[in-house]
Each structure stands twice: as structure tokens, then as C-alpha cells.
Amino acid sequence: MAGNNFEPLRNDLILRAATGKHVDRPPVWVMRQAGRYLPDYHKIKGGRDFFACCRSPEIACALTLLLIDIYNGLLDAAIIFSDILVIPQALGMVVEMVDGKGPYFPRKLERPRATEGDRQYDEIMEKDVDVKKELGYVLDAIALTRQKLGGRVPLIGFCGAPWTLLSYMVEGGGTKLFITAKTWIYKYPEESKRLLQKIADLCVEFLAQQVVAGAQMIQVFDSWAGELSPTSFKSFALPYLKHIASALPKRLRELKQGRVLMTVFAKGAWYALDDLCGSGFDVVSLD
């Protein structure tokens, strides 16, 4: 994938804006990838499971390009069709996308201390994830999409932030109150931090390999950051966002890749804007 020859970029508006350069208008892109409201989305998806679409580079590419083609010339970036929960899957957890419900973990992470017949936390911590093997389908989708874009707009890669991924892993899916996740970090602070660091390291490698595959900008989604108190955010979210922002450029240099612009989106963390601005990311996304 590193040897791909991609066409020169013709629209770099979002990249110039992200570096603080003067632009004639704000860049526009659709963060939700392909809209489920579109008939063509369902036509391309067919009867396939959501994650089956993510695992097919051809389908993921087609869904990524859908809005770029529909709104030809009106959008300034594309974001790869994937999901933040591919990282828990790479760590060995089963994640299903249930219609009308959302993500579901048949076996959520119950506790960090091994009990008879349950070593799930230890198994996750001991797992040595080969990103190119476990998540190669995302990288292939990025390479294919970059080729198909033909330089029209930049392609954005992404991952979920450690706190948000931990929340899903221990809650077993989406929730409104996040009682289990908040209890986890209160009852098991050190084990939580070890798991968060494990996830953060995997995020760094995953994002780096996305850049090798062809991503021209990356974004880290901390979708549930706003569920934390300001104090908890400083302990269980911010350090791992900072780690990603500092470690990714170093990893890219090791891979002989140029630096890419990095965006962080900590949804609902209005109280942490100053901290986020000093976290090492180039862009702070606001909600």
C-alpha cells in the first residue's frame, strides 16, 4: 500500500484551513459518512450487515464516495466508511450492529480481575494486535478510495478515542447514563488506565497505518467525553488523547511518512476546550 501512486490533490481547502491559512470559505464535509436516508446507500449496502460492509473494501469505498459523487464539487473532504468499534473487534471482542438498537457486545467486559472461566481483561491486555492483519480491510478500503477519489478531495481516516472505546467495551453497547463505565473507572482506576493505554497504543498504530494506506488527515472521536466530569476527563481521557497526538507523528517518522493534520472531537467536553487546544492536535472539532 505504501507504494501506491495517487493523483495530485486538487482541492486542499480543508488542509489549508486546518493549518490556519486564510481561505475564501469554510471547508464543508459530512462527518456521518454516508447517510442512511439515501436510497443509494441501501442499494449499495444490500442486505449486508453493517460490519460486513466495513469489512468489504469495495463496499466501504462505494459508500465513502456516495456523497462526494452526489454533491459533486460541493464537499471538501471524504471520510472513510468504517466504525470506531473495529478496535474492540481487533482486541478480540465480538461487536454486532443491531437494527434499531445500535452496537451490541454479546460478551461485554465485566471486570478486570480474572475469575474462574473469565480471563477476558487479561486476554485483551495480553493480545498483540497485528493492525495490518486484523484491520487490513480498513487499510485496503482507504487505498482503494484514495485511488477512486482521483485527487478530488482529501481522504480522512479516523479512530475512536480510548475513553469512548472503553465505555462501549464495559457497557456492552450504547447507553444514556454510562453508569457501568463510570463505576469501572471509580472501582478499578489503575486497571482502567492500563486498558486505556493499551487502546491508545493501538489507536496510534492504526492511525499510522491508515496514513501509509493513503489517509491525508486523521480524526479521533471521543464521542462520550462529555459524560466525564472535568476531573475525570483529566485523568481518564485527556492523557490518552495527548499520547495519540504526540506518538503518532513519531510513528509516522519511523514509517517514513510525512506528518498529517490531526483533529480531535471530544463531544460534549465544553469544559475542556483549553486543555484540548493544548493537547497537540492541529484542529479541535466543536459540537
Side-chain angles (χ1 to χ4, degrees), residues 93-255:
M93 301 187 77
V94 174
V95 188
E96 301 170 356
M97 195 64 72
V98 181
D99 288 341
K101 180 179 179 181
Y104 169 65
F105 290 64
R107 185 186 173 209
K108 66 181 182 179
L109 191 55
E110 296 281 0
R111 61 188 63 82
R113 298 186 181 93
T115 59
E116 185 176 350
D118 185 2
R119 292 189 66 256
Q120 190 178 21
Y121 177 86
D122 292 336
E123 289 167 355
I124 289 172
M125 295 302 297
E126 293 166 2
K127 186 173 177 62
D128 184 14
V129 179
D130 182 337
V131 166
K132 288 191 280 189
K133 178 182 178 182
E134 299 286 349
L135 296 169
Y137 58 89
V138 179
L139 310 181
D140 290 341
I142 287 173
L144 179 60
T145 304
R146 180 78 186 273
Q147 290 175 343
K148 296 281 188 179
L149 278 170
R152 284 179 286 172
V153 295
L155 179 61
I156 301 172
F158 70 92
C159 73
W163 156 249
T164 289
L165 296 179
L166 180 146
S167 297
Y168 276 112
M169 291 162 70
V170 302
E171 291 284 352
T175 176
K176 292 185 177 180
L177 299 177
F178 294 87
I179 294 172
T180 304
K182 294 172 186 177
T183 301
W184 241 77
I185 62 175
Y186 176 77
K187 289 179 66 176
Y188 314 118
E190 296 310 313
E191 293 91 340
S192 295
K193 289 176 180 178
R194 285 197 290 271
L195 178 55
L196 288 164
Q197 187 61 53
K198 172 84 174 182
I199 297 170
D201 290 336
L202 181 51
C203 288
V204 170
E205 185 62 21
F206 184 34
L207 292 172
Q209 294 300 334
Q210 290 186 53
V211 174
V212 173
Q216 294 153 289
M217 191 174 185
I218 65 93
Q219 180 150 351
V220 178
F221 289 92
D222 211 348
S223 306
W224 306 128
E227 297 299 322
L228 291 169
S229 68
T231 300
S232 293
F233 181 84
K234 286 180 180 291
S235 296
F236 296 100
L238 185 62
Y240 307 98
L241 293 174
K242 285 184 172 181
H243 174 75
I244 294 171
S246 64
L248 179 57
K250 296 175 185 175
R251 180 58 178 143
L252 289 175
R253 287 195 294 271
E254 292 173 356
L255 294 169

